[in-house]
Amino acid sequence: MRFYIAKMETITKFSVLLIGIAGTPKDFLLSLPVLKSCIINDESITKNIAINILQYQYIDDEADPKYIKNIINEIVKINPDLLGFSVYVWNFNIVVKLTLGIKSILPNIQILYGGPEISINDINAGRFNPIPVDFIIYGEGERPFHSFLKRLTLPNAKQEKIDRFAIKKSGKFIFEGAADSNENDLADILQLPSPFLTGVIEPELLKKPEIRANIETQRGCIYRCAYCLYHKHYSKIRYRNPSTIVEEIEYIYKQGISEFRIIDANFFSDKQYAGFILSELIKKDIHMAVFFEVNPESIDKKLADLICQYGALSSKNKVMVGIGIQTLNQKALKSVRRPVNVCFFNRAFELLKKANAIIKTDIILGLPHETKQTYLELIEYIVEKMRYGKNYLSLSLLRVLPGSDMEKIAAKKKLVIDTIDNKHFVYSTPDMPREDMLECLRLNAVAFRFLCSLDLENRIILRDKFFQTKDQLKIPFIYILEHFKNIFSQKLKGSDSD
């Protein structure tokens, strides 16, 4: 597992070190460079405080303890005054291990947590109290982080309370100001400096083999899906300057990056905005693979044509588009406020197929009111969509994320959460007992091997044989999946496999 160490700034009076642990082996966190880029033009802070960033690739919870110790030693060697972690569902356990290890060596170091895994409910319930962390920022970090650093430069001045900023007192976290955010409290992302164009994200990082760049175009979502955190209950979507987005992509292309991802909930939320960006990338003859997610009803022929044109620029321009149907069970969709019309989904799928896009289709196991039978009907429907092209089936298990509306719905609908780790997965529901859930999970595992393998060449061979078998025998897909589920289960008997 490789990690990326940014060029360290000279430490002046106070040193801040921000740690990012990405969610995949080819990504780095964008959030920390964004935080730093908002500070670099404030001389009252930069003349007194040095801000450095360490970026690590994905670290599995079962990672070799020696590797974790190496990271601890690296941080201890830098010996910052303030250590900040951006906490996500995928890195929470590792962040806690690092926190405990570092505090045991540097007991006086101050530690700050922020990120999507921080929720008000968890703070109030005491989830973070046993962890030796000193400060917590909830929600968007730009403004509270800036205010906190400002305070550090003027320790003797009268201090104003910072909203969404909690301090541990007598073993418990107490918010200084407002715990939750209001829309006047949010950063004006139209004015945010670019972490790429300001050089906060260093060219050396972008030259790492197989690295992918994440690009933020907007914040918010017009939909209010209960299991999602994108919308944050904000009444509108805030957009960055589209010309800046194009400049960023052109910049990373010139640095040799071969792939970028637009990290927003629905890139096509404003069709004119997205169309401008795609058109400019075509004009500039950018040769890079791209992944973005869209809602099915946002796709129209004009945007599909732009996807086709971009993809046709070169063999490098693979366009993967994520569209979620989640389930065919309308009662389940309604319970989680997920508006998906199957007619819109079918239309979007056909438009993207004609545009030669790679279509990543998301479905979710474990939603309220989903039964084993309705889930099998969903599998039967969605597997047919994988017949042509290089389409990818994303088989997800429902997570009840901290701070999402799904927490209340899960309690009301009596969903059982898996407590074996901190991943927030659903274990069973009243409509899908654990035995049925396991059957569906095992079918997912078989479908993954036929339709989702990262080994594309062999995946296509397996997929074609899978569909040939179905057509020759004239049987449902589920029968084939069940057959291999039984074979795999027998083969794995006596092993330590799940």
Side-chain angles (χ1 to χ4, degrees):
M1 299 181 200
R2 294 164 296 166
F3 56 87
Y4 308 122
I5 303 176
K7 197 179 296 177
M8 305 300 289
E9 292 183 19
T10 302
I11 295 177
T12 53
K13 295 181 180 179
F14 194 92
S15 64
V16 176
L17 180 64
L18 303 178
I19 304 294
I21 302 172
T24 78
K26 62 180 180 180
D27 285 309
F28 60 89
L29 288 192
L30 183 63
S31 54
L32 299 180
V34 169
L35 284 179
K36 183 174 178 178
S37 65
C38 295
I39 305 297
I40 57 174
N41 291 326
D42 188 335
E43 288 189 12
S44 67
I45 292 176
T46 55
K47 71 180 180 182
N48 296 304
I49 296 177
I51 303 172
N52 293 297
I53 300 173
L54 294 188
Q55 292 277 13
Y56 293 83
Q57 291 179 305
Y58 176 73
I59 305 172
D60 187 87
D61 286 350
E62 304 302 319
D64 187 338
K66 290 181 181 178
Y67 182 71
I68 304 299
K69 189 172 181 180
N70 287 341
I71 298 175
I72 292 171
N73 290 339
E74 181 69 44
I75 294 169
V76 168
K77 184 178 178 181
I78 296 169
N79 192 18
D81 297 295
L82 176 68
L83 180 64
F85 288 99
S86 191
V87 188
Y88 293 77
V89 64
W90 63 74
N91 68 22
F92 178 78
N93 291 339
I94 296 297
V95 166
V96 172
K97 287 180 183 179
L98 293 174
T99 300
L100 292 169
I102 291 161
K103 272 282 192 178
S104 69
I105 302 171
L106 301 174
N108 295 323
I109 192 173
Q110 295 179 305
I111 296 182
L112 167 70
Y113 278 9
E117 188 66 5
I118 307 297
S119 77
I120 291 176
N121 288 346
D122 279 350
I123 293 171
N124 293 335
R127 182 187 183 194
F128 305 103
N129 292 348
I131 306 170
V133 58
D134 304 282
F135 312 106
I136 283 178
I137 288 176
Y138 167 70
E140 284 191 6
E142 288 88 357
R143 288 194 171 177
F145 185 63
H146 184 275
S147 297
F148 181 45
L149 293 189
K150 198 85 169 174
R151 173 183 294 180
L152 294 175
T153 65
L154 301 168
N156 299 320
K158 182 180 178 182
Q159 305 296 350
E160 293 185 3
K161 292 180 178 179
I162 303 173
D163 291 339
R164 297 183 287 111
F165 180 74
I167 300 178
K168 186 180 281 183
K169 295 180 179 179
S170 302
K172 297 181 180 179
F173 279 99
I174 307 295
F175 280 100
E176 278 196 353
D180 209 344
S181 57
N182 61 68
E183 298 195 37
N184 295 325
D185 175 48
L186 302 176
D188 179 2
I189 70 167
L190 193 64
Q191 303 302 323
L192 288 183
S194 164
F196 293 98
L197 303 179
T198 56
V200 171
I201 298 175
E202 297 177 349
E204 289 80 2
L205 172 57
L206 300 177
K207 294 186 187 303
K208 296 293 180 181
E210 298 182 2
I211 198 73
R212 176 173 66 180
N214 290 328
I215 303 289
E216 181 184 43
T217 70
Q218 58 194 266
R219 292 184 188 175
C221 183
I222 61 171
Y223 300 101
R224 295 291 183 267
C225 303
Y227 52 78
C228 185
L229 294 171
Y230 272 115
H231 56 81
K232 304 283 189 183
H233 297 290
Y234 302 147
S235 63
K236 61 182 180 181
I237 300 174
R238 291 169 292 149
Y239 294 90
R240 295 180 65 215
N241 186 322
S243 296
T244 301
I245 305 298
V246 174
E247 285 184 56
E248 286 182 335
I249 296 170
E250 186 176 24
Y251 169 78
I252 62 174
Y253 174 55
K254 289 179 179 178
Q255 297 299 318
I257 294 283
S258 61
E259 181 181 359
F260 69 97
R261 172 178 179 166
I262 293 174
I263 61 175
D264 310 303
N266 179 17
F267 179 44
F268 289 174
S269 61
D270 184 316
K271 296 179 182 182
Q272 185 175 353
Y273 177 90
F276 171 82
I277 293 172
L278 288 173
S279 297
E280 288 298 305
L281 297 182
I282 293 166
K283 288 179 187 175
K284 292 180 180 294
D285 199 28
I286 301 296
H287 293 184
M288 297 172 70
V290 58
F291 170 74
F292 53 81
E293 294 184 273
V294 299
N295 286 94
E297 57 269 38
S298 302
I299 301 172
D300 59 21
K301 188 177 184 306
K302 184 176 179 181
L303 288 168
D305 287 345
L306 287 172
I307 290 173
C308 187
Q309 290 175 45
Y310 180 79
L313 290 176
S314 88
S315 59
K316 297 179 180 179
N317 288 41
K318 295 180 176 65
V319 182
M320 179 180 279
V321 183
I323 54 173
I325 190 166
Q326 317 311 356
T327 180
L328 296 174
N329 186 324
Q330 292 303 306
K331 190 175 182 181
L333 289 172
K334 187 176 181 181
S335 72
V336 296
R337 303 197 306 268
R338 171 69 180 180
V340 179
N341 185 307
V342 176
C343 294
F344 280 128
F345 180 84
N346 289 334
R347 177 176 173 274
F349 203 96
E350 288 304 311
L351 284 170
L352 291 172
K353 190 165 73 172
K354 289 177 182 176
N356 298 316
I358 301 169
I359 308 166
K360 175 180 169 286
T361 304
D362 301 314
I363 64 174
I364 298 178
L365 173 63
L367 292 170
H369 308 295
E370 189 83 270
T371 66
K372 179 182 175 182
Q373 183 56 40
T374 61
Y375 190 73
L376 296 185
E377 291 169 4
L378 170 64
I379 291 288
E380 193 70 27
Y381 162 80
I382 209 66
V383 166
E384 176 62 32
K385 298 286 186 187
M386 301 296 109
R387 186 181 283 268
Y388 306 107
K390 298 176 182 178
N391 299 329
Y392 192 93
L393 179 58
S394 176
L395 303 139
S396 301
L397 182 58
L398 178 64
R399 294 183 196 259
V400 180
L401 296 174
S404 70
D405 290 345
M406 200 66 227
E407 285 185 305
K408 291 181 180 178
I409 294 172
K412 183 179 178 181
K413 301 289 185 182
K414 295 182 169 50
L415 274 59
V416 179
I417 311 302
D418 196 340
T419 57
I420 196 170
D421 54 30
N422 291 296
K423 304 299 185 184
H424 317 301
F425 286 120
V426 168
Y427 184 83
S428 65
T429 76
D431 297 292
M432 191 174 287
R434 183 59 182 173
E435 185 178 346
D436 288 352
M437 180 77 80
L438 284 171
E439 284 294 298
C440 292
L441 284 167
R442 287 166 181 151
L443 289 171
N444 278 3
V446 179
F448 178 87
R449 278 150 183 79
F450 279 121
L451 303 168
C452 311
S453 168
L454 295 177
D455 182 352
L456 181 60
E457 184 177 340
N458 283 314
R459 186 214 307 174
I460 297 300
I461 295 170
L462 276 173
R463 184 203 65 183
D464 290 348
K465 290 184 180 297
F466 177 77
F467 284 105
Q468 287 168 16
T469 302
K470 195 268 185 192
D471 293 341
Q472 287 173 11
L473 298 179
K474 295 182 171 58
I475 57 175
F477 294 117
I478 289 297
Y479 287 11
I480 304 174
L481 297 176
E482 286 274 5
H483 175 76
F484 280 95
K485 181 206 74 177
N486 294 333
I487 290 176
F488 292 172
S489 297
Q490 187 63 36
K491 181 75 175 175
L492 294 170
K493 246 181 194 174
S495 76
D496 60 357
S497 169
D498 290 340

